[in-house]
Amino acid sequence: MATRRPARRRKRRPNAAQFEQELVALAQQGQFSEVVAACEKHRRHGPLSVLAMHVDGVALTQLERFDSAIETLRAAAKRIDAEKNAAQATAIQNDLSKSFYAAKRYGEAIEVLTRLRDQNPDEVTFARNLILVLEESGQLDAALTECQVAVKRWPDDVHLAFQLGDLQMAAESWHEAVDALSIVLKLDPDHQSARRKLVTAYRRLDDQAGVAAALRDWLQRDPDNSIVRHLLSAQESEALKVEALPARASDEYVREVFDQFAETFDEQLKSLDYAAPRLLRSMIAELGLSADGSLSILDAGCGTGLMGDLLRPFASRLVGVDLSAGMLQRAGDRGYDSLECSELVAYLNEHPDEFELIASMDTLIYFGDLAAVCLAAHQSLRGEGAPLVFTLEKWDASGGSAGYHLNPSGRYSHRVDYVRETLERCGFSEISVKESVLRKEAGKEVSGLCWVARKSGSSVRRGG
């Protein structure tokens, strides 16, 4: 007698509550692709609940599938309106505004946020978000008006107070920015962005006493901050004796500054009319080098690698060195054979007779005394006539015991005669210099010096 095979037990689908919990857990873990896949699978067997649609819409936004996200969240909003759940309806509308914003559909985001702000007059989040979208959409006056009203409504809200200061900076209303940012620091003395912007606002007002006072107050609050310490020394450099001036920016200062700006560095340079790539082309043309890929080249202070593509045609080996690990991460795909995170003088000293060309664009502006770096570069170059090309900011002072000056920007500028004498003393000859604009700063052109020098066979004089 044949035995009857037991029926295969059908796998039970989780109930709606379990499914929603699973979706929420996935979203909280950042597994947005898994959320969307689970929702697509679930739809084959029936419609999603409102909460599942909401989570799905948020996940689609995170995956930059904006049209699908907006369609899903709109559908969820219609369903929830019918069910009269005000709290969830507000949450869905808020996430819908975020989808519009992420998709750069600013008008629709503003429409949703205006409605949410009006419907929830005691909720500061919607006021903040509306101000943000208005500013991002270019409606600066409207954003300022909204922010001023909101600050009166919530005078102790640090985020709003900072938004107002930031908007006043964007409007170049420097006095008003100082007032707003000072309020931020009363509410939150540790607000680093407000302190940084306050220093900038005082600079734009040409209020040097205000700059110095802001930096002193900041350093008192944060005594281990290498950036503030260096900028305060730069601000007070006119009153310091030559021997009291730092001979160069500290490693900590350079590293922290450029790590902070690594993500946005290239974009910021574009806004400053950064001239280094054009200047490097001109300097290489002056050298008469052939783009035959035959040279061992060092990009000294390579940053995000903006010079890599220009140097690559001349290089059999192209090395970039920089003190900022954050900057080097951005340089990874720009043609370098190797990237080294190191202090420049130490690196040069550790690699004698290795490079046939050293290029250093807007790096030696963080050195005052150039003797150590020029001597190290001479030792690291291979063969008589090997070129060193670099840029500096120009200092127009004549005479004096120091050939360099620490500017309020935290960078150094140099006298032509000092640079030439230093290069000669360190064993360079065939020295030439041209003046050019390096970039703009605060709307003004920064005058620079483009130097070309060749390694000489003569012995290097180490003194002086």
Side-chain angles (χ1 to χ4, degrees):
M1 181 176 175
T3 58
R4 191 173 180 182
R5 185 176 295 177
R8 184 174 294 175
R9 182 173 294 178
R10 185 175 295 175
K11 188 176 180 180
R12 291 182 61 188
R13 293 175 58 212
N15 61 36
Q18 289 175 322
F19 181 65
E20 290 170 351
Q21 289 174 359
E22 291 172 5
L23 287 183
V24 170
L26 287 170
Q28 289 174 340
Q29 295 164 15
Q31 299 183 46
F32 300 115
S33 295
E34 288 80 356
V35 169
V36 172
C39 289
E40 289 174 352
K41 183 177 180 180
H42 194 283
R43 283 192 182 93
R44 298 173 196 155
H45 306 285
L48 296 176
S49 69
V50 170
L51 177 56
M53 293 171 70
H54 186 183
V55 178
D56 189 31
V58 171
L60 286 163
T61 300
Q62 292 295 324
L63 296 172
E64 299 185 359
R65 293 170 58 181
F66 300 127
D67 290 342
S68 296
I70 289 165
E71 180 182 355
T72 301
L73 290 169
R74 277 175 163 166
K78 288 181 180 179
R79 289 262 302 275
I80 199 67
D81 283 347
E83 296 173 21
K84 306 297 183 185
N85 187 328
Q88 193 172 0
T90 297
I92 292 170
Q93 289 288 334
N94 189 40
D95 284 318
L96 178 60
S97 74
K98 293 177 181 178
S99 291
F100 282 131
Y101 175 74
K104 301 189 187 302
R105 291 165 62 171
Y106 299 128
E108 290 159 294
I110 290 167
E111 182 180 341
V112 173
L113 286 168
T114 301
R115 185 167 60 250
L116 285 171
R117 180 206 58 189
D118 293 343
Q119 292 171 349
N120 303 272
D122 295 326
E123 178 53 65
V124 68
T125 300
F126 303 127
R128 291 176 185 160
N129 291 348
L130 178 57
I131 294 162
L132 173 66
V133 179
L134 285 168
E135 181 182 13
E136 190 70 19
S137 67
Q139 300 181 57
L140 182 58
D141 289 343
L144 261 171
T145 299
E146 288 286 343
C147 198
Q148 288 163 342
V149 170
V151 165
K152 289 180 181 178
R153 174 72 177 81
W154 293 281
D156 296 327
D157 188 279
V158 175
H159 189 101
L160 278 175
F162 181 70
Q163 276 186 298
L164 181 57
D166 202 26
L167 287 165
Q168 298 288 15
M169 294 280 287
E172 299 187 0
S173 299
W174 309 117
H175 287 290
E176 292 80 359
V178 166
D179 292 341
L181 294 166
S182 297
I183 291 172
V184 175
L185 293 175
K186 287 180 181 177
L187 296 170
D188 179 9
D190 293 320
H191 201 299
Q192 299 294 301
S193 295
R195 289 196 177 278
R196 187 164 52 246
K197 287 183 179 289
L198 181 61
V199 171
T200 301
Y202 276 126
R203 287 199 197 286
R204 297 305 296 265
L205 287 169
D206 199 24
D207 183 347
Q208 302 307 320
V211 173
L215 288 169
R216 286 192 209 100
D217 185 56
W218 192 353
L219 191 61
Q220 184 176 9
R221 188 78 189 178
D222 188 5
D224 296 326
N225 192 315
S226 61
I227 295 176
V228 180
R229 189 182 308 112
H230 180 76
L231 291 177
L232 183 57
S233 293
Q235 185 64 32
E236 297 179 336
S237 62
E238 298 287 357
L240 296 176
K241 295 181 179 179
V242 172
E243 56 270 20
L245 280 175
R248 54 168 291 182
S250 70
D251 292 353
E252 293 79 8
Y253 170 79
V254 174
R255 185 182 298 112
E256 289 183 26
V257 165
F258 287 99
D259 279 349
Q260 286 181 12
F261 289 109
E263 287 297 317
T264 59
F265 186 72
D266 290 2
E267 290 73 19
Q268 290 189 34
L269 289 183
K270 289 178 184 177
S271 70
L272 300 177
D273 294 337
Y274 187 57
R278 172 179 57 80
L279 297 175
L280 180 60
R281 286 192 198 95
S282 175
M283 294 159 81
I284 288 178
E286 182 177 327
L287 290 170
L289 300 178
S290 175
D292 58 1
S294 63
L295 300 177
S296 176
I297 299 177
L298 177 66
D299 187 352
C302 63
T304 60
L306 287 175
M307 304 302 137
D309 290 339
L310 296 175
L311 293 169
R312 183 73 260 178
F314 303 90
S316 59
R317 174 171 172 258
L318 178 58
V319 178
V321 60
D322 203 277
L323 197 53
S324 166
M327 300 288 273
L328 289 174
Q329 287 178 359
R330 307 277 290 177
D333 59 352
R334 286 182 158 164
Y336 294 89
D337 295 299
S338 64
L339 292 166
E340 306 292 337
C341 188
S342 176
E343 189 278 321
L344 180 55
V345 175
Y347 180 85
L348 292 167
N349 283 329
E350 291 165 2
H351 294 81
D353 300 314
E354 188 164 325
F355 299 104
E356 293 158 301
L357 167 63
I358 296 176
S360 188
M361 307 303 289
D362 279 9
T363 297
L364 303 191
I365 55 178
Y366 294 98
F367 291 77
D369 187 340
L370 296 176
V373 69
C374 287
L375 180 58
H378 184 277
Q379 294 173 339
S380 191
L381 285 167
R382 180 170 68 233
E384 184 166 356
L388 168 67
V389 297
F390 61 98
T391 58
L392 295 170
E393 293 185 12
K394 182 183 179 184
W395 188 29
D396 282 321
S398 58
S401 54
Y404 55 86
H405 176 67
L406 179 55
N407 301 304
S409 64
R411 303 187 301 268
Y412 291 86
S413 53
H414 295 79
R415 285 203 327 259
V416 170
D417 61 331
Y418 164 79
V419 180
R420 186 179 297 279
E421 290 167 5
T422 302
L423 286 168
E424 290 173 347
R425 192 169 67 247
C426 291
F428 288 93
S429 60
E430 299 182 49
I431 300 167
S432 64
V433 59
K434 291 183 179 178
E435 186 172 344
S436 186
V437 174
L438 297 178
R439 76 189 80 81
K440 288 184 179 178
E441 186 170 22
K444 299 178 181 178
E445 293 182 341
V446 176
S447 181
L449 301 168
C450 302
W451 290 89
V452 175
R454 292 184 180 271
K455 179 173 182 174
S456 170
S458 60
S459 60
V460 177
R461 301 198 302 276
R462 297 175 180 268

